[in-house]
């Protein structure tokens, strides 16, 4: 890394308390960004206060939040900052991140934001392609049910739109819902039962396979998605693999950084 460089890319993620998931997703995205943009210094920030607190207390691992990362870059002599979030959508978390970063607008020559994973119809098509490629070995008698996070922000409508796009592109056996908004698990159970597969594969539609994936999706509790589908006598196979592990997803983040650098974001 060129320590005299005044240009930096700050990769901003929600974060995870799962070490293996962090290395397989967030760190892999950061590594890909570093390899694709060797003329930039690479920094990291996480937005989840709870996760940052857990890691500091449990593992003595200190990861900066957005404000701390901006302060560090300022101290290091960085002048031009590209901020690339690994968030799925431009919702509440991403908007708060932008506000925190823009508090430093007068301290840097430029602050430019890359877009979250799904910020256009082209992005949606690319994500659908990456997911379909990842699960291309599954036959039509297997339903792939994806768990998105969901948000109270109006951008939550994207989940239902992408679910429809899967079907429009010939993937009638892929279903997308959310754990905290709509479409709900009840919606998905109804749709999957109507499709009547022999088997249900569950996978997170999140960058990291963290708490939601391990507990809300694959857990043994009665409110977990795996339990709900087993109650309908389906064979259920949870896949604890975040979107950040898919090469096509990481490639899309690289494209978003390129767009930010060229002023297209």
């Amino acid at each position: 890394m060129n320590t005299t460089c005044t240009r930096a890319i700050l990769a901003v993620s929600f974060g995870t308390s799962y070490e293996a998931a962090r290395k397989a997703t967030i760190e892999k995205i950061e590594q890909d960004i570093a390899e694709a943009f060797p003329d930039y210094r690479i920094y990291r920030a996480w937005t989840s206060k709870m996760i940052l607190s857990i890691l500091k207390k449990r593992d003595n691992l200190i990861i900066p939040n957005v404000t701390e990362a901006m302060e560090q870059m300022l101290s290091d002599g960085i002048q031009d900052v590209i901020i690339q979030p690994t968030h799925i959508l431009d919702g509440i978390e991403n908007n708060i991140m932008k506000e925190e970063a823009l508090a430093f607008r007068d301290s840097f020559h430029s602050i430019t934001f890359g877009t979250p994973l799904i910020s256009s119809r082209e992005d949606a098509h690319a994500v659908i392609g990456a997911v379909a490629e990842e699960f291309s070995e599954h036959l039509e008698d297997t339903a792939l049910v994806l768990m998105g996070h969901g948000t109270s922000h109006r951008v939550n409508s994207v989940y239902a739109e992408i679910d429809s796009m899967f079907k429009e592109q010939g993937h009638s056996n892929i279903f997308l819902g959310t754990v905290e908004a709509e479409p709900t698990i009840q919606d998905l159970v109804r749709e999957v039962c109507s499709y009547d597969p022999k088997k249900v594969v569950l996978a997170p539609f999140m960058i990291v396979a963290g708490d939601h994936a391990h507990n809300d999706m694959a857990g043994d509790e009665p409110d977990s998605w795996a339990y709900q589908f087993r109650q309908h006598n389906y064979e259920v196979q949870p896949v604890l693999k975040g979107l950040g592990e898919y090469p096509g997803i990481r490639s899309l983040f690289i494209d978003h950084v390129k767009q930010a650098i060229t002023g297209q974001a």
Side-chain angles (χ1 to χ4, degrees):
M1 180 175 69
N2 181 4
T3 56
T4 62
C5 179
T6 60
R7 301 186 299 175
I9 297 171
L10 172 62
V12 178
S13 302
F14 180 81
T16 180
S17 60
Y18 289 76
E19 181 182 11
R22 180 186 79 236
K23 291 180 177 179
T25 58
I26 295 173
E27 291 187 6
K28 194 68 176 70
I29 292 169
E30 293 168 350
Q31 290 166 8
D32 284 6
I33 290 174
E35 291 172 5
F37 305 98
D39 295 334
Y40 287 77
R41 296 181 67 178
I42 308 300
Y43 292 80
R44 164 197 289 177
W46 286 9
T47 59
S48 172
K49 295 180 177 64
M50 182 180 70
I51 290 174
L52 293 177
S53 177
I54 289 172
L55 292 181
K56 183 178 180 180
K57 183 177 181 179
R58 187 190 70 192
D59 304 332
N60 196 29
L61 176 61
I62 298 175
I63 294 174
N65 59 32
V66 173
T67 297
E68 291 165 343
M70 298 298 287
E71 290 171 343
Q72 184 62 56
M73 289 188 290
L74 194 59
S75 175
D76 291 346
I78 298 299
Q79 297 178 11
D80 298 287
V81 182
I82 301 290
I83 299 179
Q84 179 56 54
T86 67
H87 300 144
I88 299 286
L89 301 171
D90 188 18
I92 296 170
E93 200 79 16
N94 204 60
N95 289 332
I96 292 173
M97 176 275 291
K98 287 188 280 190
E99 289 178 7
E100 293 175 347
L102 287 174
F104 292 83
R105 59 164 62 88
D106 295 332
S107 301
F108 292 90
H109 178 262
S110 68
I111 299 175
T112 306
F113 296 95
T115 54
L117 182 66
I118 303 174
S119 302
S120 67
R121 194 163 182 84
E122 290 74 22
D123 290 342
H125 280 293
V127 170
I128 288 170
V131 171
E133 173 66 23
E134 184 69 26
F135 293 94
S136 60
E137 77 278 7
H138 291 308
L139 302 175
E140 289 185 0
D141 62 3
T142 297
L144 172 62
V145 178
L146 302 169
M147 173 187 273
H149 188 278
T151 174
S152 58
H153 193 279
R154 63 181 182 278
V155 77
N156 189 76
S157 61
V158 169
Y159 290 106
E161 292 170 10
I162 292 179
D163 177 70
S164 295
M165 289 175 68
F166 272 116
K167 313 299 191 296
E168 291 167 6
Q169 296 185 29
H171 306 296
S172 59
N173 62 328
I174 300 181
F175 304 84
L176 172 60
T178 70
V179 67
E180 293 193 357
E182 295 180 344
T184 66
I185 178 58
Q186 290 77 23
D187 296 327
L188 294 175
V189 167
R190 187 166 51 252
E191 292 175 19
V192 170
C193 286
S194 177
Y195 183 78
D196 194 27
K198 292 182 179 179
K199 177 181 177 182
V200 173
V201 173
L202 301 175
F205 193 78
M206 306 176 192
I207 297 302
V208 171
D211 272 330
H212 283 306
H214 283 262
N215 299 315
D216 299 310
M217 188 189 82
D220 296 324
E221 295 298 315
D223 58 351
S224 79
W225 287 23
Y227 186 98
Q228 294 290 319
F229 281 109
R230 289 189 178 114
Q231 286 297 101
H232 287 79
N233 299 316
Y234 289 115
E235 175 190 352
V236 177
Q237 178 191 347
V239 177
L240 294 169
K241 186 174 185 178
L243 292 178
E245 297 187 53
Y246 302 2
I249 298 296
R250 296 199 302 273
S251 177
L252 190 53
F253 281 124
I254 297 297
D255 289 343
H256 287 191
V257 175
K258 290 178 181 176
Q259 290 165 7
I261 290 173
T262 58
Q264 296 174 358

